[in-house]
Every structure is written in structure tokens, then in C-alpha cells.
Amino acid sequence: MMFERFATGFSLARQSWDVLRTDKHLLLFPLLSGIGCLMVMASFAVPLLATGTVQNAVGAGVGDDQSSDPMQNPLYLAILFAFYFVNYFVIVFFNSALIACAVKRFYGADPTIREGLSAAMARLPQIAGWALVSATVGLILRVIESRSERVGQFVSAILGMAWSAATFFVVPVLVIERLGPIAAVKRSGELLKSSWGEALAGNSSIGFFCFLAMIPCIVLIVTGGIMLGGNLAIVGGILVVLGVIGILIVSLISSALSAIVQAAVYMYGASGDAPTGFDASTLRSAFSRA
């Protein structure tokens, strides 16, 4: 059973790669998402560090270990929640644009970057609602994790994985059905249950092969780092840069492929028709055990 599931997932990943090769410009969306997330991180770095540092300083002054924990500071929690909200908003916005373009390709059209961004802009209320829910869940998991170094981390990790699985199809639902966040979660759970996990297997297959593709990049970075301390510093620097660029490219491809798999499996589950570029028998097997 597990082998069949992995084989189906691998087929979904391979077919999504064929779609991406046709529309290479779709890689621009995860690139913009990554740039946006870096900008958000830079914007919130100082407020988060400042509130955390102030709280630690207060705790050190009164000798209370608990008060030195920034998670006990309401201002820090408010800023952290705002950071989660904006970060999730950026990620979901560009994922929505990518999925909108993928859906157009499935219908035989030639999607453009402008069309994808326009589709995401038309769904700003749904995107904002989902970012709000995601930020709330993210903050709750962070608070749970902070309560206990071991138990809290374990519980947070388990709940986080369950939440990620249950919400796997939320973005396609938001884009195509324009449901609210709560209804989208319920709809995502229904599709995930009927697909019996093959969509997640497809995502895992993408992650596995992207990990393999990153190994040479990591070797370049490590080798270059060693050379930086010797007479081949210039060569080492070049190798490090090439390795970092390689990892970024693989990450962009992985994000794009995952979104395409989500859109394809969602469309088949919702309509029963195989999207263009995907094999009907592969998608049928993903739902055959529903």
C-alpha cells in the first residue's frame, strides 16, 4: 500500500514538473514570495528583538526567571502575531497567484504573471481571512512550544503536522471556490480524506527529490567554506555563491511544483476531470480508495 501510494505521488510530481517546464515563468511567484518574506522579516526583526530584550532585561533585574521569557510579554506576543499575519499573507497571496495560473494552464490557456496577480488581488478578503487564521494557529503553537522545552516542542510539532495536512487544499479552495477560511478548512479536510493521502505523497516525493538535488549544492558550500581559509579563497567564495544559488533555485522549483500538485489534485477531486498535463488514471488511483 505504501509503495503504491509513493508511486502515485511520484507520478503526480513528475507530471507537475512537465507543467512547470511549459510555464517556467511560474517560478516568479515563489521568488516574489521569498523576497516578500525577507522584507517582512527585516521589518519585524527590530521590534521583536527590542521587546524580547527589554523583557529579558526586566527579568534579570527582578530575578524572576519566568519574567525573562519574552512569551510572557503581551507586547511581544502582539508583535509576533502581526509578524505571522503579514508573513502568511505574503505567502498565501503569491501561492494563490501561482495556483490561479496553474488552473488556467489546466484549461488550455496561456497564463501570464499579470493574470495570476489579478486573480490573487480579487481574493484579498479570503487571503486575509486565511492569514488571520494561520497567524492565530501559529501563535498558539508557539506558545505551546514555549511552555516546555521538550514536551511543548513535541506537542507543537505533532499539532503543526496535523494542521498542515488538514489544510493542504485550503489555498486551491480559496482561489477557485472563494470560500471563507473556516469553510475552506472543512472542504480541504474532505478532499484530503477522499484522496487518501496521495496528494501528500506527491508533495513528499517533490521534497525527497529536491533534497537529493540540494546535496551537490551543500557539497559546494562546504567545500567552498573550507577553501575560504586557505590560498583558494576566491575559488571558495565562488563555490559558496554557486551552492547558495543552487539551493535557492531548487527551493523555488519545489514550491512551484507543490502548488501545481495541490491545484491538480483539487481540480480532479472537485470536478472528476483530469487537468491538462495530468494522467487521468494517476489521479483516479489517488481517489480510488475513497
Side-chain angles (χ1 to χ4, degrees), residues 2-290:
M2 291 302 298
F3 177 78
E4 292 179 1
R5 182 167 296 176
F6 181 82
T8 301
F10 174 75
S11 296
L12 291 173
R14 177 179 54 78
Q15 291 164 34
S16 67
W17 168 254
D18 292 336
V19 173
L20 183 60
R21 286 194 304 171
T22 303
D23 295 285
K24 299 181 182 65
H25 60 282
L26 295 182
L27 290 172
L28 182 61
F29 292 120
L31 176 61
L32 293 174
S33 179
I35 294 174
C37 289
L38 288 176
M39 294 175 63
V40 171
M41 187 179 300
S43 300
F44 281 88
V46 173
L48 286 173
L49 288 174
T51 52
T53 301
V54 170
Q55 185 72 1
N56 285 333
V58 172
V62 300
D64 186 354
D65 291 337
Q66 289 297 323
S67 63
S68 65
D69 182 5
M71 297 302 294
Q72 303 293 326
N73 185 351
L75 179 58
Y76 178 85
L77 291 176
I79 296 175
L80 184 62
F81 177 81
F83 166 71
Y84 282 161
F85 173 78
V86 178
N87 198 57
Y88 281 123
F89 183 90
V90 170
I91 293 172
V92 176
F93 179 86
F94 287 108
N95 276 352
S96 298
L98 196 161
I99 288 176
C101 286
V103 170
K104 283 183 174 293
R105 167 56 59 187
F106 294 157
Y107 282 113
D110 293 320
T112 64
I113 298 299
R114 181 186 295 273
E115 289 175 334
L117 294 176
S118 297
M121 288 293 296
R123 292 155 179 81
L124 284 182
Q126 290 84 4
I127 293 173
W130 179 238
L132 183 64
V133 172
S134 298
T136 302
V137 173
L139 185 63
I140 292 174
L141 293 178
R142 182 67 182 87
V143 170
I144 293 175
E145 182 179 353
S146 69
R147 295 304 179 187
S148 174
E149 183 175 351
R150 294 183 178 180
V151 177
Q153 290 180 355
F154 176 77
V155 173
S156 177
I158 295 298
L159 293 177
M161 287 189 294
W163 175 253
S164 297
T167 59
F168 185 79
F169 291 109
V170 162
V171 177
V173 170
L174 292 177
V175 171
I176 300 173
E177 299 185 24
R178 298 195 180 195
L179 298 179
I182 305 303
V185 172
K186 294 180 179 178
R187 179 69 170 140
S188 174
E190 294 172 358
L191 289 169
L192 183 68
K193 181 179 179 180
S194 62
S195 68
W196 207 254
E198 271 74 4
L200 293 178
N203 214 35
S204 299
S205 299
I206 292 171
F208 175 73
F209 288 106
C210 286
F211 169 75
L212 293 181
M214 283 186 180
I215 292 178
C217 302
I218 296 174
V219 171
L220 285 176
I221 294 174
V222 173
T223 304
I226 295 174
M227 289 183 177
L228 287 175
N231 298 325
L232 299 175
I234 296 179
V235 177
I238 293 174
L239 292 180
V240 170
V241 171
L242 290 177
V244 172
I245 292 175
I247 288 178
L248 291 176
I249 293 174
V250 172
S251 298
L252 293 177
I253 293 174
S254 175
S255 297
L257 292 179
S258 296
I260 293 172
V261 166
Q262 285 178 304
V265 178
Y266 162 79
M267 286 191 63
Y268 183 82
S271 66
D273 297 325
T276 301
F278 281 80
D279 181 57
S281 61
T282 301
L283 291 169
R284 191 179 305 114
S285 67
F287 286 84
S288 61
R289 288 178 289 276

